[in-house]
């Protein structure tokens, strides 16, 4: 549902998947897609950035908190800028788990992305165990507060949020539209305690097993402004149908 002032956005996170052929297929299919009411962002593995022709918006899947230097394997915001990357996913649950990224490190990365004039797609979301013991909202508030404390609420004018319940990522288990809406409303309300305008205008994506056949219902929730898509972003036709759901 397009809410005044908020444009729907769909970002595809390829993770460590895809190849040169997929870059070509994706560009071909989206060249004639006519998606005028929403934004599409592709977050491929960084070696593929240079293959995109500039028509699709690009995002990175991670970013270094440092400017440059002896940080083997890392990619800087300056490098993203050189490839016209406009977005960077920060705090994806796979990086929080596999690379031990704490809330504090995620906050440093958000600060770094903002400093370079890019838009962080800040991911928050709970494991199933936390939901089961009723600590869902505290958990998400702590993830948000670490970043709020670091950069201040006004900087959230340039942040995109993604609510990604960990139990729904890559599992085929999707949060119901009502479950997604409940958490999105909580997130917006949490920000509204500090700044009502920022809260009203911030884009909050849902991520977790979104497919062509469930996107429309999820995106029609009043506080859901599009999606962060993993597995389904590797299938150009499926990804297009998700984007079409956001375009309505
Ligand atoms: C993700 O990893 O951000 C994600 C939402 O994955 P999937 O769509 O495959 O659940």
């Amino acid at each position: 549902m397009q809410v005044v002032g908020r444009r729907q956005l769909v970002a595809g996170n390829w993770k460590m998947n895809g190849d040169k052929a997929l870059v070509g297929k994706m560009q071909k299919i989206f060249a004639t897609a006519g998606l005028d009411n929403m934004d599409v962002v592709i977050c491929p593995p960084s070696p593929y950035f240079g293959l995109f022709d500039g028509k699709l918006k690009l995002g990175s899947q991670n970013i270094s908190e440092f400017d440059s230097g002896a940080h083997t394997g890392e990619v800087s915001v300056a490098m993203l800028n050189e490839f016209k990357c406009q977005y960077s996913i920060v705090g994806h649950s796979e990086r929080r788990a596999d690379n031990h990224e704490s809330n504090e490190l995620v906050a440093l990365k958000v600060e770094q992305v903002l400093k370079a004039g890019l838009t962080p797609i800040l991911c928050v979301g709970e494991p199933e165990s936390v939901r089961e013991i009723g600590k869902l909202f505290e958990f998400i508030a702590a993830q948000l507060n670490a970043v709020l404390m670091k950069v201040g609420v006004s900087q959230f004018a340039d942040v995109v949020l993604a609510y990604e319940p960990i139990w729904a990522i890559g599992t085929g288990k999707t949060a119901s539209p009502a479950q997604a809406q409940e958490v999105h409303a909580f997130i917006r309300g949490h920000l509204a305690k500090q700044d009502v305008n920022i809260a009203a205008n911030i884009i909050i994506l849902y991520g977790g097993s979104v497919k062509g056949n469930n996107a429309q219902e999820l995106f029609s929730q009043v506080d859901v402004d599009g999606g962060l898509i993993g597995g389904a972003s590797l299938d150009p036709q499926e990804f297009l149908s998700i984007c079409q759901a956001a375009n309505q």
Side-chain angles (χ1 to χ4, degrees), residues 14 22-30 42 56 233 236 239:
W14 288 9
L22 183 61
V23 175
K25 280 186 211 154
M26 207 57 88
Q27 294 194 122
K28 191 161 175 224
I29 207 163
F30 277 87
I42 305 279
L56 280 165
S233 71
F239 188 56

Side-chain angles (χ1 to χ4, degrees), residues 13 15 92 94 164 168-172 207-211 228-232:
N13 173 12
K15 310 191 183 184
H92 190 281
E94 286 156 15
E164 297 211 305
I169 294 181
T171 57
S209 300
V210 178
K211 305 275 183 268
L228 179 55
I229 318 298

Side-chain angles (χ1 to χ4, degrees), residues 23-247:
V23 175
K25 280 186 211 154
M26 207 57 88
Q27 294 194 122
K28 191 161 175 224
I29 207 163
F30 277 87
T32 53
L35 299 165
D36 297 329
N37 303 325
M38 52 85 63
D39 292 313
V40 184
V41 179
I42 305 279
C43 304
S46 49
Y48 297 133
F49 287 151
L51 298 178
F52 282 84
D53 60 12
K55 291 187 185 130
L56 280 165
K57 293 187 170 146
L58 288 179
S60 71
Q61 298 175 15
N62 176 41
I63 193 64
S64 172
E65 69 275 29
F66 300 110
D67 289 336
S68 64
H71 305 290
T72 302
E74 297 291 334
V75 171
S76 73
V77 280
M79 293 165 190
L80 295 191
N81 261 331
E82 280 201 303
F83 282 95
K84 311 249 176 309
C85 242
Q86 291 171 259
Y87 294 82
S88 178
I89 298 173
V90 180
H92 190 281
S93 59
E94 286 156 15
R95 289 209 58 91
R96 290 182 190 258
D98 299 352
N99 300 80
H100 314 290
E101 292 193 4
S102 64
N103 285 344
E104 290 66 35
L105 177 58
V106 167
L108 283 174
K109 290 185 178 210
V110 168
E111 185 181 45
Q112 185 74 352
V113 174
L114 288 167
K115 206 171 76 182
L118 278 75
T119 302
I121 301 177
L122 168 62
C123 301
V124 297
E126 79 290 357
E128 198 155 33
S129 56
V130 165
R131 182 174 269 266
E132 278 168 1
I133 58 167
K135 300 270 186 209
L136 161 66
F137 296 126
E138 282 168 49
F139 189 88
I140 289 172
Q143 289 182 321
L144 290 171
N145 288 346
V147 183
L148 281 166
M149 264 170 7
K150 186 84 208 155
V151 304
V153 70
S154 62
Q155 295 258 57
F156 273 63
D158 299 314
V159 170
V160 168
L161 290 172
Y163 168 55
E164 297 211 305
I166 296 172
W167 48 270
I169 294 181
T171 57
K173 248 196 219 178
T174 316
S176 68
Q179 282 174 319
Q181 170 56 29
E182 183 187 27
V183 181
H184 283 231
F186 167 77
I187 292 171
R188 213 178 286 289
H190 189 73
L191 293 176
K193 286 186 219 155
Q194 293 196 24
D195 191 312
V196 176
N197 279 334
I198 299 272
N201 288 307
I202 197 164
I203 292 172
I204 310 178
L205 310 179
Y206 168 76
S209 300
V210 178
K211 305 275 183 268
N213 62 10
N214 60 18
Q216 197 170 349
E217 214 189 338
L218 285 159
F219 299 168
S220 67
Q221 302 303 303
V222 68
D223 286 302
V224 178
D225 307 311
L228 179 55
I229 318 298
S233 71
L234 298 169
D235 176 337
Q237 201 60 53
E238 181 85 16
F239 188 56
L240 176 62
S241 70
I242 293 170
C243 293
Q244 284 166 335
N247 194 51

